[in-house]
Amino acid sequence: MKDSNFLKENNGRLMWHPMTSPQDSIDSPPKIITGSSGVSITDIDGHTVVDGVGGLWNVNLGYSCQPVKDAITDQLARLPYYSTFRGASNDAAIELSYELSAFFAPDGLSRAFFTSGGSDSVETALRLARQYHKLRGEPGRVKFLSLKKGYHGTHMGGASVNGNANFRTAYEPLLPGCYHIPAPYTYRNPFNETDPERLAQLCAAALEDEIAFQGPSTIAAMIMEPILGAGGVIPPHKSFAPMVRDICERNGILLITDEVITAYGRTGAWSGARLWGIQPDMMATAKAITNGYFPFGAVMLGDKMIEAFEDNPAARIGHGYTYSGHPVGAAAALACLAETKRLNVIENAAARGDQLYAGCKALMEKYDIIGDVRGGHGLMTAIEMVSDRATKKPIDADTAAKVQEVAYQSGAMIRVSGPNLILSPALILSEQDAATILAAIDAGFAAV
Ligand code: PMP
């Protein structure tokens, strides 16, 4: 490794970082992480903190998961790459599709299409949705519906269904035919509705209304996160997803759950679909599938898709990535799945999630800067920060950045995204680690 001065000097100068401006990377240099152990990370100056972000919602089993590391190195030694394009396959990808079919059987999903990450998975699901309708003789079903505040990655299709202007405006015009429904976001919504159950009904009614307006026969799919993640951890009322499922079903619209964050245990259930008791037609997954150690993803497919595509020579999939079914990614995913099941991570995710959620709620009593605390479903927790509780005026960026920095100096990496402080640590977090995160946030708020 080059010395610390070299790395610090060249970081912002030569590398454009995602989700920030090149100038900002120079003015507010990011933490340069050079080491890790368990659920903690160490920066280039030797400062070690508990990682409250869990990498980027993906390092569910922490940084020291030896079985996944071994699987990667073993696979690298044996077969570092082979494609799964027509005429070829590899053993790791086949084995993984077998394991995933079993894992997602309760979600009604029994086929896998492999990708290189979350955005790829979303893009794959959107494309296969259009093809599904063409195969079934409804070529006019091309539009997509999604929730405002939703995040579906950064490809052109994903950006088009994203529900946050920050990820859209600079890249417009996006895909035509994408329409957005109000999110079941109790803290702020156009209906001024504060009751989660009534809000869920209003959002579901808005969905029905949009479908009627567009014409059901023009809509291919609805894509939705079971709990909105990057938008600030927005869990809907438990009635919402079943209502959406039912509305899609009645209108011939495919339902895609974007579970790039929620699949594999983060919510305290094995998938977001299972958390809400629904079966999607497709599920986009990535991130924790390999514990973040290798870029990889899987779109899981349900009966409707299987029926339309299998035993049909016309159903040629004109889509795929060089790294679809990458053997090293597949080997990592196999080890990761085995470890995820062996540790039964959903139990700890639920317990530690409750601890963080309760701890953040307790902080709300102490600090007016906290406008809303959201969570209660596993290790997805957010604090929405405001500069005025009465008017809900969002916090300014400098104050939010200071909270983050002081928390970091006090022992925890946390993520600030807009007005939201987001916690998404490893699912193997201990009670003590969770307490460290809470104490660090407390210190951050105390400082401002
Ligand atoms: N969908 C959701 C719900 C996500 O949270 C993300 C990433 N945070 C993506 C898609 C995109 O995944 P990736 O960054 O791996 O492309």
Side-chain angles (χ1 to χ4, degrees):
M1 193 172 85
K2 297 269 192 197
D3 70 50
S4 137
N5 283 339
F6 172 91
L7 295 170
K8 285 181 181 176
E9 256 168 43
N10 285 298
N11 178 40
R13 194 168 72 85
L14 298 176
M15 178 178 16
W16 284 13
H17 289 254
M19 305 300 179
T20 186
S21 71
Q23 189 59 43
D24 191 53
S25 298
I26 292 168
D27 295 344
S28 316
K31 310 291 179 223
I32 302 173
I33 307 305
T34 54
S36 63
S37 173
V39 300
S40 295
I41 47 173
T42 300
D43 70 22
I44 197 163
D45 299 317
H47 183 59
T48 296
V49 296
V50 174
D51 184 11
V53 194
L56 203 48
W57 316 81
N58 53 351
V59 185
N60 283 10
L61 305 176
Y63 294 92
S64 305
C65 190
Q66 202 54 44
V68 178
K69 294 183 186 186
D70 289 343
I72 289 173
T73 48
D74 290 353
Q75 184 63 47
L76 270 177
R78 194 164 61 77
L79 177 72
Y81 175 74
Y82 215 81
S83 98
T84 56
F85 271 43
R86 184 174 182 280
S89 191
N90 69 70
D91 56 292
I94 298 166
E95 203 180 317
L96 180 60
S97 59
Y98 182 84
E99 291 297 330
L100 288 177
S101 308
F103 185 77
F104 287 109
D107 300 294
L109 305 166
S110 59
R111 301 291 188 275
F113 188 97
F114 295 123
T115 74
S116 339
S119 297
D120 284 357
S121 289
V122 167
E123 210 69 12
T124 297
L126 295 176
R127 294 175 61 136
L128 292 182
R130 282 193 171 171
Q131 189 173 7
Y132 164 87
H133 292 294
K134 288 188 170 60
L135 288 170
R136 296 181 69 255
E138 286 194 276
R141 284 189 179 265
V142 296
K143 296 176 187 171
F144 297 113
L145 301 175
S146 59
L147 294 178
K148 286 185 178 158
K149 309 289 286 181
Y151 184 78
H152 302 291
T154 51
H155 293 350
M156 254 344 180
S160 306
V161 290
N162 269 354
N164 181 335
N166 291 339
F167 309 120
R168 301 170 51 87
T169 314
Y171 308 100
E172 287 175 341
L174 297 167
L175 205 64
C178 296
Y179 300 92
H180 297 78
I181 312 303
Y185 174 30
T186 318
Y187 190 57
R188 300 175 196 271
N189 61 74
F191 313 106
N192 283 322
E193 180 57 70
T194 54
D195 178 72
E197 189 168 7
R198 278 202 302 268
L199 180 58
Q201 280 160 4
L202 288 168
C203 294
L207 172 63
E208 291 231 56
D209 186 57
E210 189 66 33
I211 292 169
F213 179 71
Q214 297 293 337
S217 63
T218 68
I219 303 169
M222 162 91 187
I223 181 165
M224 171 175 92
E225 296 163 274
I227 294 176
L228 283 74
V233 183
I234 301 173
H237 184 266
K238 65 177 187 327
S239 61
F240 185 65
M243 283 192 281
V244 171
R245 173 69 277 186
D246 175 57
I247 293 166
C248 289
E249 198 63 42
R250 280 194 277 108
N251 289 283
I253 296 166
L254 293 170
L255 176 62
I256 303 164
T257 54
D258 182 347
E259 306 225 19
V260 169
I261 287 175
T262 51
Y264 311 109
R266 179 155 293 282
T267 68
W270 290 119
S271 69
R274 242 173 285 179
L275 175 70
W276 300 132
I278 61 162
Q279 294 197 331
D281 299 305
M282 281 184 271
M283 182 190 290
T285 82
K287 289 199 191 271
I289 190 170
T290 53
N291 206 30
Y293 293 3
F294 196 89
F296 200 78
V299 178
M300 297 304 300
L301 305 146
D303 289 346
K304 282 189 206 140
M305 301 300 293
I306 294 167
E307 219 170 273
F309 279 77
E310 293 186 0
D311 300 324
N312 179 357
R316 187 184 154 275
I317 298 170
H319 173 77
Y321 307 101
T322 299
Y323 301 119
S324 286
H326 195 298
V328 179
L334 276 168
C336 197
L337 200 59
E339 204 53 10
T340 298
K341 290 192 285 192
R342 186 183 72 79
L343 296 171
N344 194 29
V345 293
I346 51 174
E347 231 168 71
N348 194 57
R352 297 288 74 79
D354 287 349
Q355 183 188 350
L356 283 184
Y357 185 48
C360 290
K361 287 219 148 172
L363 289 175
M364 197 170 177
E365 309 285 312
K366 222 165 140 184
Y367 300 109
D368 281 349
I369 198 173
I370 302 180
D372 194 26
V373 173
R374 294 184 291 272
H377 302 281
L379 279 165
M380 300 176 75
T381 311
I383 291 176
E384 183 163 339
M385 298 175 285
V386 291
S387 55
D388 181 350
R389 237 191 217 173
T391 63
K392 301 186 180 178
K393 183 169 178 242
I395 194 169
D396 65 278
D398 287 347
T399 311
K402 181 150 187 214
V403 173
Q404 184 173 17
E405 180 58 27
V406 174
Y408 186 78
Q409 295 311 331
S410 308
M413 176 69 111
I414 55 173
R415 180 155 171 254
V416 167
S417 173
N420 296 307
L421 186 166
I422 297 180
L423 300 175
S424 51
L427 309 189
I428 57 159
L429 197 76
S430 71
E431 193 172 348
Q432 180 55 48
D433 297 325
T436 302
I437 294 173
L438 288 167
I441 298 172
D442 195 340
F445 286 134
V448 298

